[in-house]
């Protein structure tokens, strides 16, 4: 029998987390990510793990804080409104330099919004996950296989840099089914000498805390953390380039928007329009270099998003505003059609090559 | 192949392929019967519902019994207002698409007495060996038993829908036959059909008993 299985994106995240050694899951049900919790509820008791449906999102993220303090791989998952509730906990995790995996299967907003897919939490994930100066590593899968791959990667990066990795997916990615291979090489867990595992009267106490009584020390911790962020920006950017070699027009899109865009690009190429795609896989660190390089070659960027235009700001910054960056979008739970993206490409092509 | 009885119920693990089979079965049934309905009693799944096929069903003259709120933002486990037509309108030949797992099958508890009293039904368990939680006989039988308890009804047969989506090969289907037979032996239930996407029909014809061709729902992404 083939070594692949047919999985929903949400299930792929859950099973990949288990493969990566995660044995603690805390969450609260919310559409369209509930399958992650449902899958964990079935699997965790069978493998000696802990599944706990918390009384709230806030409780769940603080349980994550607790387990992360002990150095164990731990995760929670939610969808947009639930992630807002977790904001305080995300900031505390950052302040205490704790590794954790947080999944956001986005739905339309703002407010209670709807349950259909969206990418309108880009700002929240990449710039303002909570109060204070901090970043999260933000990974944007565009297939069910990547939902699994980036979950494993997310745990590894979180451990390596002692910070939160967030999987930023959307309802379609969570619900769609595709074949997946779960045959991973998982890197051995990093040493965690800082973890609160009991001193056995053999070492000083480890203390996990985000409160600093002396402002100078709080400032120092911020400076040190941002040194680490700088290193990550230089070393951990991931992106995919599709048909960019001869492209006059560059589409910027991640996740489900990138899949729709690829279909439109294939159609546009049939009409003789040289268009390509840069798909950020890490949204933070943002693949600035890729867009900066493209800005010297293409005549226009089109940012395709399931939002009112959020990543477009990073595309403009990364490209140094050298060429126009336009938006092709739907919002509120709607997905741009390949035809809509194709029309945007045809419109851009009227401007001619650089 | 399906629809020998007035009511044909498709149940199974979520993501096993019930909705797709139900849509295809209703269309096939319409060739032999005038008054055909497809009842979507899924209270679990927010996306990818029979409602996605509502235009197609309308064209075919198949009545769709489905919650008004399916595919909307009303995120509640709602049942269709006209669901009693399934048991009360005896002139209907009806395919029932039941939500996944035991939680989805709970809705049957509400009409199971009437269905059993009329006793003109088939209740079929859709199985897929490529789904991670029903990969082997033991786990499949476990899910099957949970559904029977929740539904207050017993299965009458199995539908082998083992597939890897668009990547499914003829060999994958052939490999799955022993799995289906094993589940059949363990449960005493016959395999009433093996479903394959239409593209594999010519390759598998004659090699697999009771083949039922499936037209996959269109994918836009």
């Amino acid at each position: 029998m083939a070594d692949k299985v047919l999985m929903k994106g949400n299930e792929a995240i859950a099973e990949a987390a288990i493969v990566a050694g995660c044995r603690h899951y805390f969450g609260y049900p919310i559409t369209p990510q509930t399958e992650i919790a449902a899958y964990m509820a079935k699997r965790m008791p069978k493998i000696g793990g802990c599944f706990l449906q918390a009384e709230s999102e806030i409780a769940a993220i603080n349980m994550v804080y607790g387990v992360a303090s002990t150095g164990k791989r731990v995760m929670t998952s939610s969808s947009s409104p639930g992630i807002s509730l977790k904001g305080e906990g995300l900031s505390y995790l950052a302040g205490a330099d704790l590794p954790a995996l947080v999944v956001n299967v986005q739905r339309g907003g703002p407010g209670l919004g709807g349950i259909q897919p969206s990418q309108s939490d880009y700002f929240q994930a990449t710039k303002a996950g909570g109060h204070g100066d901090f970043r999260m590593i933000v990974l944007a899968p565009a297939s069910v296989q990547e939902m699994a791959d980036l979950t494993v990667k997310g745990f590894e990066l979180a451990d390596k840099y002692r910070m939160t990795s967030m999987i930023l997916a959307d309802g379609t990615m969570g619900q769609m089914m595709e074949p997946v291979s779960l045959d991973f090489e998982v890197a051995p867990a990093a040493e965690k000498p800082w973890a609160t595992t009991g001193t056995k009267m053999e070492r000083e106490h480890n203390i996990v805390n985000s409160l600093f009584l002396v402002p100078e020390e709080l400032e120092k911790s911020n400076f040190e953390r941002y040194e680490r962020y700088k290193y990550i920006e230089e070393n951990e950017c991931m992106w995919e380039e599709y048909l960019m070699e001869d492209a006059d027009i560059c589409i910027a899109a991640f996740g489900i928007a990138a899949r729709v865009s690829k279909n439109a690009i294939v159609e546009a190429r049939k009409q003789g329009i040289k268009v390509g795609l840069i798909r950020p896989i890490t949204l933070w660190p943002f693949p600035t270099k890729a867009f900066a390089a493209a800005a010297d070659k293409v005549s226009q960027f089109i940012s395709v998003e399931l939002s009112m235009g959020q990543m477009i700001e990073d595309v403009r910054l990364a490209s140094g505003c050298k060429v126009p960056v336009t938006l092709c979008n739907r919002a509120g739970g709607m997905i741009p059609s390949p035809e809509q993206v194709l029309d945007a490409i045809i419109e851009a092509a009227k401007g001619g090559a650089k | 192949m399906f629809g020998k009885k007035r009511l044909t119920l498709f149940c199974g693990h979520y993501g096993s392929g019930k909705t797709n089979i139900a849509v295809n079965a209703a269309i096939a049934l319409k060739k032999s019967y005038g008054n055909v309905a497809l009842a979507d009693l899924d209270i679990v799944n927010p996306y990818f519902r029979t409602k996605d096929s509502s235009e197609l069903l309308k064209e075919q003259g198949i009545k769709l019994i489905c919650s008004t709120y399916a595919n909307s933002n009303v995120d509640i486990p709602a049942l269709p207002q006209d669901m009693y037509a399934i048991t009360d309108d005896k002139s209907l030949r009806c395919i029932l698409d039941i939500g996944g797992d035991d939680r989805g099958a709970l809705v049957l508890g509400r009409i199971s007495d009437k269905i059993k009293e009329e006793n003109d039904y088939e209740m079929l368990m859709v199985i897929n060996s490529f789904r991670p939680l029903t990969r082997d006989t033991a786990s499949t039988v476990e899910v099957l038993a949970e559904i029977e308890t929740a539904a207050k009804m017993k299965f009458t047969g199995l539908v082998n829908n083992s597939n890897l989506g668009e990547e499914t090969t003829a060999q994958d289907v052939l490999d799955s036959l022993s799995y289906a037979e094993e589940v059949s032996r363990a449960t005493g239930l016959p395999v009433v059909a093996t479903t394959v996407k239409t593209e594999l029909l010519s390759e598998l014809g004659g090699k697999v008993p009771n083949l039922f061709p499936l037209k996959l729902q269109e994918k836009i992404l």
Side-chain angles (χ1 to χ4, degrees), chain A residues 216-232:
Chain A
E216 286 80 2
E217 283 177 20
L218 178 56
E219 182 191 46
K220 187 165 163 272
S221 79
N222 273 285
F223 282 158
E224 283 171 1
R225 200 169 291 122
Y226 269 68
E227 280 300 309
R228 211 181 331 143
Y229 291 165
K230 198 173 155 219
Y231 180 88
I232 295 169

Side-chain angles (χ1 to χ4, degrees), chain A residues 1-2 4-8 11 31-32 39 42-43 46 114-117 171-172 175 177 179 256 260 263, chain B residues 14-15 45-48 71-73 75 128-133 135 142 146 163-165 167 175 220-221:
Chain A
M1 200 154 285
K4 283 189 174 180
V5 287
L6 186 66
M7 293 185 109
K8 279 196 175 196
E11 295 175 319
T31 307
Y39 194 93
K42 284 219 160 183
R43 286 278 279 132
K46 290 182 178 167
I115 61 171
Q116 302 298 326
T172 320
Q175 295 294 324
M177 291 179 80
I256 197 68
V260 174
N263 287 341
Chain B
Y14 75 88
N45 218 11
Y47 298 5
F48 307 129
N71 281 5
S72 80
N73 280 333
D75 193 12
N128 179 357
S129 62
F130 291 100
R131 294 283 292 140
L133 296 185
R135 289 218 81 181
E142 194 181 313
E146 287 168 1
N163 76 91
L164 270 171
E167 282 185 24
D175 287 346
I220 56 151
L221 306 168

Side-chain angles (χ1 to χ4, degrees), chain A residues 91-100 133-137 156-165 194 209 212 218-237 284-285:
Chain A
S91 176
Y92 278 51
L93 284 167
D97 294 312
L98 290 173
D133 284 314
F134 78 95
R135 295 289 195 180
M136 297 184 288
I137 291 167
E156 290 171 352
L157 291 172
D159 274 357
K160 187 173 176 187
Y161 296 110
R162 292 184 62 180
M163 60 192 288
T164 296
S165 290
W194 48 265
N209 183 27
F212 287 76
L218 178 56
E219 182 191 46
K220 187 165 163 272
S221 79
N222 273 285
F223 282 158
E224 283 171 1
R225 200 169 291 122
Y226 269 68
E227 280 300 309
R228 211 181 331 143
Y229 291 165
K230 198 173 155 219
Y231 180 88
I232 295 169
E233 284 178 316
E234 281 161 10
N235 292 283
E236 300 292 357
C237 284
W284 192 89

